[in-house]
Amino acid sequence: MYNAKYEYNVDKKTSKVTFYDNTTKLSSFGYNNSVITISAIDEMTVPATNWGTNKDIKEWFDCVYSMRGRLELVEGQMRDGYDYGIKVDDIGVTGVIEVNGETLGDWRWVALTNALTIVARIEQEINFAELRSFAQWMQHFQYCVQNYGG
């Protein structure tokens, strides 16, 4: 069962969301003084009908943004090496998002199996503008999968 744990300390300007499959940690997103740290993950395949993590990341993004005054949030700008793409073809949907030459997300959904493969990534730091784009990318990818062939 997928679940999320949220931690906040507005006075210290920190926030974190951690995702679990039962007790196994899958990934985390941390905010610390306007720097977002996205944890490394191993490659995994999940049923594409379970999009809870996307919803939780968007809600965490919205919560952090709503506290932007107290957090003294500096959004930043998209850095060189930013690339964002989603491709729909007869096999399924493929999406890649890169920041500063490092892969933030590499997802592959296959229509025949309705399985989503999330390719491994390394831990990396991004700014809030890049997190906003990542959240939008996830939602666009999900939209393409949900409306595939329709």
Side-chain angles (χ1 to χ4, degrees):
M1 180 171 125
Y2 296 109
N3 56 68
K5 177 182 175 186
Y6 297 87
E7 302 170 52
Y8 299 95
N9 188 323
V10 177
D11 294 327
K12 291 185 178 180
K13 297 178 184 32
T14 63
S15 177
K16 187 174 186 178
V17 60
T18 306
F19 301 101
Y20 297 90
D21 181 1
N22 292 317
T23 59
T24 303
K25 181 180 174 182
L26 298 174
S27 67
S28 64
F29 291 70
Y31 173 91
N32 189 346
N33 290 317
S34 294
V35 174
I36 309 295
T37 302
I38 298 179
S39 69
I41 59 169
D42 293 327
E43 183 170 310
M44 67 181 84
T45 300
V46 296
T49 54
N50 188 342
W51 294 99
T53 300
N54 287 7
K55 178 179 164 289
D56 289 333
I57 292 171
K58 178 72 169 88
E59 286 178 1
W60 180 73
F61 168 88
D62 290 341
C63 183
V64 170
Y65 190 71
S66 74
M67 297 184 291
R68 66 188 174 276
R70 287 212 43 214
L71 293 175
E72 298 174 4
L73 174 68
V74 176
E75 289 202 37
Q77 297 178 345
M78 305 309 282
R79 293 176 285 171
D80 289 343
Y82 174 83
D83 191 22
Y84 173 122
I86 296 173
K87 176 184 164 189
V88 178
D89 60 24
D90 60 341
I91 296 171
V93 181
T94 303
V96 176
I97 184 169
E98 295 178 346
V99 175
N100 205 24
E102 296 292 338
T103 301
L104 204 58
D106 184 346
W107 293 5
R108 298 163 189 167
W109 173 77
V110 177
L112 184 63
T113 61
N114 193 31
L116 171 67
T117 299
I118 300 172
V119 178
R121 71 167 177 246
I122 62 170
E123 180 177 295
Q124 52 194 297
E125 293 181 350
I126 61 173
N127 62 45
F128 200 76
E130 293 161 345
L131 176 65
R132 177 189 310 271
S133 182
F134 180 70
Q136 290 170 340
W137 174 82
M138 287 189 316
Q139 290 178 311
H140 291 163
F141 188 95
Q142 180 179 350
Y143 179 83
C144 289
V145 170
Q146 290 172 337
N147 293 285
Y148 180 84

